[in-house]
Amino acid sequence: MRSMRERSTATLIATLVTGSLCAGAPNPGAEAAEAGVDRARPTGVSAGLGVDLDTVTIPELQARMADGSLTSTALTTAYLRRIKAIDPKIHAVLRTDPTALRQAAASDVRHRSGDTRGPLDGIPVLLKDNVNTRDTPTTAGSLALAGSPPDVDAALVTRLRNAGAVILGKTNLSEWANFRAAKPTSGWSAVGGQTNNPYVLDRNPCGSSAGSGAALAASLAQVAIGTETDGSIVCPAGMNGVVGHKPSLGLVSQAGVVPISAEQDTAGPMARNVIDTALTLSVISGTSRFGVPDRMTHSSSLRGKRIGLWRLPSLGPQVDALMSRTAEKLRKAGAEVVEVTPPYQQRLAELEFPALLSEFHRDIDAYLATRGGPRNLAELVEFNRTHPAEQTCFAGQELFEQALAAPPTTDPGYRAMRAELKDLSRRSIDETMAAHRLDAIAAPTNPPAWTTDCARGDNDVIPSSTPAAVSGYPSLSVPAGFVDELPVGVLLMAGDHQDAGLLSLGAAVEHRLHAWRAPRYLPTVGPDASR
């Protein structure tokens, strides 16, 4: 039996989808799509499909499949063709699943017989390549895992398959989810090379769910799965101009996902709009099973909502100005926006990394024991030393080496450190929300994307993700606007297991800001605005 908290979450997500979200997603091409007009072939419109892949939502797709004017086979074919045509520019998709069209055909049979399995039936989904799939490789971007596939699917993949989703393929990522080198380059892996930001190709997509974020920006799938320990869903979402939700810890099973830390890791949904994000969460968390609403209504409101704005001026004056404009738009929609500074951030920064080192050693050893290749972290370190292809962008594996030397998770010093982290991170959000009577805390998700440079590494000190990541509370990045041609997100945080309420608020913010626009694949835009 599900707990009261799980049933509450299921009810909230169901209410969210059937009432408040359905017309909340920005859809500037709806009239053209409904008329079958191919008004923007370089973006997402698919000739003959009757929908604009850039802007269409899952409920709209399900309505088309229900009335027979669209099939999952046609939709999957359109995405596979788009991957073939566009992905060579951005290198987001490592491989497509050779069974994708068979999966789609099975969904079409269910749709014709009226036996569909829920909102994701027939919907193409990309998975980050640290999520186990039994029939295709799962590498975490490393050649060390590039041999045989895992024996079983990750638990979340089982949920997706049972819901009828089409597993379209795997996306590139920062190798080992950015937990290898002291100065990594996000979006690079030895297996997949460098993923580029679709908005400006010499800019970084942020990590570690780089391929998932970039693929969605380029409309290469309807939704994607990312994973996060601290920032690895929300930063790629913000930097690629899409939506990303880091669920509350434990809402989505960690089983079968390449780990960093069981105390912080979670997989989560990414999409081009909040409704698709919420529907995907409902499936991978198993919190509800419901059909697609027949009518599209919009009732999400910001009136009376209290939002705390955490400015983070360290991300630069252009981002700060964008947050000021965002706050003003929310105020005009009836929200009360007050400025806040969550406490304890310096102490969280001091404690988090040492704790993760101990947890990584424990958790990666347990995972590697289930796979072919190196059987533990020590063997993985030796593999990287003896395989030159693992050193083509950066040679370092300092975090691996530090994890080998870190105290075990049975050590009293480690235990005290993790207990303090949990306490202070939760208090940083709880106390701020209580003191100001807030519905959520908002902050910039990311700076403008920096130039990708293997020699320099990332410029990615982005503190906004840490409180929710360390506490295990939910966070949601929604597109806020642009600095020149580069997307910036607004990150929303709330209390423990307040995922559905946060998604509902995010839908209202998305509807008000209306900030999404398709990428133009520009080669460059001049000076690096993030430095």
Side-chain angles (χ1 to χ4, degrees):
M1 180 181 291
R2 288 184 295 167
S3 68
M4 182 65 71
R5 173 181 285 171
E6 288 173 317
R7 292 198 300 273
S8 175
T9 301
T11 301
L12 284 168
I13 293 178
T15 301
L16 170 72
V17 174
T18 56
S20 65
L21 267 181
C22 297
N27 194 6
E31 293 180 2
E34 288 173 3
V37 177
D38 192 352
R39 59 151 176 78
R41 184 72 59 82
T43 57
V45 172
S46 177
L49 202 62
V51 296
D52 185 337
L53 295 180
D54 282 343
T55 58
V56 71
T57 65
I58 288 173
E60 291 168 339
L61 291 171
Q62 290 291 359
R64 295 290 185 102
M65 287 190 277
D67 69 18
S69 62
L70 176 69
T71 64
S72 176
T73 297
L75 180 65
T76 301
T77 298
Y79 275 124
L80 289 170
R81 288 174 176 168
R82 190 161 175 82
I83 290 169
K84 185 176 182 180
I86 292 178
D87 194 58
K89 297 178 183 178
I90 59 174
H91 310 294
V93 179
L94 283 177
R95 65 191 69 87
T96 55
D97 190 321
T99 72
L101 289 174
R102 291 204 298 273
Q103 297 173 57
S107 175
D108 291 334
V109 171
R110 291 191 295 273
H111 276 89
R112 287 194 296 270
S113 64
D115 191 29
T116 55
R117 300 176 179 176
L120 259 61
D121 202 336
I123 301 300
V125 180
L126 284 168
L127 306 173
K128 185 177 178 180
D129 198 35
N130 62 349
V131 177
N132 282 1
T133 45
R134 65 179 184 268
D135 50 1
T136 54
T138 300
T139 71
S142 172
L143 297 171
L145 297 181
S148 300
D151 292 334
V152 296
D153 285 334
L156 73 89
V157 176
T158 299
R159 289 193 184 279
L160 286 167
R161 293 192 198 277
N162 289 343
V166 174
I167 306 301
L168 193 61
K170 291 293 197 68
T171 58
N172 196 25
L173 69 160
S174 309
E175 187 172 313
W176 296 108
N178 253 355
F179 206 81
R180 185 191 120 179
K183 285 298 287 183
T185 302
S186 285
W188 180 86
S189 74
V191 171
Q194 180 65 54
T195 297
N196 301 321
N197 191 306
Y199 286 86
V200 182
L201 297 174
D202 69 350
R203 297 304 175 102
N204 199 267
C206 203
S208 65
S209 305
S212 295
L216 288 170
S219 299
L220 305 186
Q222 190 66 26
V223 294
I225 303 300
T227 68
E228 174 161 331
T229 306
D230 187 345
S232 290
I233 289 174
V234 296
C235 185
M239 208 165 279
N240 291 280
V242 299
V243 175
H245 179 59
K246 184 205 79 72
S248 293
L249 188 67
L251 190 60
V252 178
S253 173
Q254 297 175 355
V257 179
V258 182
I260 292 176
S261 163
E263 279 72 18
Q264 293 183 204
D265 290 350
T266 183
M270 303 172 71
R272 284 179 294 280
N273 53 71
V274 176
I275 185 172
D276 288 3
T277 305
L279 287 167
T280 306
L281 177 65
S282 74
V283 169
I284 64 175
S285 65
T287 51
S288 59
R289 186 178 186 273
F290 44 84
V292 178
D294 294 327
R295 295 194 315 113
M296 307 296 257
T297 60
H298 179 74
S299 59
S300 289
S301 174
L302 288 167
R303 189 161 303 282
K305 300 294 185 183
R306 287 182 60 84
I307 299 172
L309 176 60
W310 182 22
R311 281 191 173 273
L312 294 173
S314 61
L315 298 187
Q318 293 171 302
V319 171
D320 194 53
L322 177 59
M323 289 301 106
S324 294
R325 295 193 296 273
T326 297
E328 185 58 28
K329 290 176 183 178
L330 300 183
R331 289 188 181 106
K332 287 182 178 178
E336 297 179 65
V337 181
V338 297
E339 298 205 8
V340 300
T341 303
Y344 316 122
Q345 299 310 305
Q346 182 174 346
R347 184 61 175 161
L348 292 178
E350 293 169 354
L351 293 173
E352 183 186 18
F353 177 64
L356 292 178
L357 290 172
S358 295
E359 292 153 5
F360 178 72
H361 191 181
R362 175 197 64 197
D363 294 340
I364 200 65
D365 275 4
Y367 177 84
L368 290 173
T370 71
R371 297 291 306 274
R375 303 296 288 177
N376 54 46
L377 181 56
E379 290 186 14
L380 182 55
V381 167
E382 185 58 29
F383 180 95
N384 288 338
R385 287 174 179 159
T386 56
H387 285 73
E390 289 288 347
Q391 305 169 33
T392 54
C393 182
F394 51 85
Q397 52 179 333
E398 296 91 348
L399 304 194
F400 282 4
E401 292 161 347
Q402 291 173 44
L404 282 174
T409 55
T410 55
D411 181 82
Y414 157 78
R415 289 181 173 179
M417 185 162 46
R418 175 48 73 179
E420 186 178 357
L421 272 167
K422 184 176 181 179
D423 176 57
L424 293 183
S425 60
R426 292 188 170 200
R427 287 171 58 190
S428 72
I429 295 175
D430 293 343
E431 292 176 5
T432 302
M433 292 187 67
H436 298 277
R437 296 174 287 110
L438 301 178
D439 293 283
I441 299 169
T445 308
N446 59 287
W450 52 84
T451 52
T452 298
D453 186 334
C454 283
R456 183 191 71 203
D458 287 341
N459 179 32
D460 67 341
V461 179
I462 307 169
S464 57
S465 62
T466 296
V470 178
S471 65
Y473 288 4
S475 60
L476 174 72
S477 183
V478 175
F482 289 78
V483 171
D484 298 324
E485 294 287 336
L486 299 166
V488 173
V490 58
L491 186 69
L492 303 172
M493 293 165 271
D496 190 24
H497 280 76
Q498 297 301 307
D499 299 69
L502 191 65
L503 285 160
S504 182
L505 179 66
V509 171
E510 172 189 55
H511 184 76
R512 182 62 184 179
L513 298 182
H514 201 68
W516 184 88
R517 68 174 186 243
R520 295 197 290 154
Y521 309 97
L522 300 174
T524 189
V525 290
D528 190 336
S530 71
R531 293 190 65 78

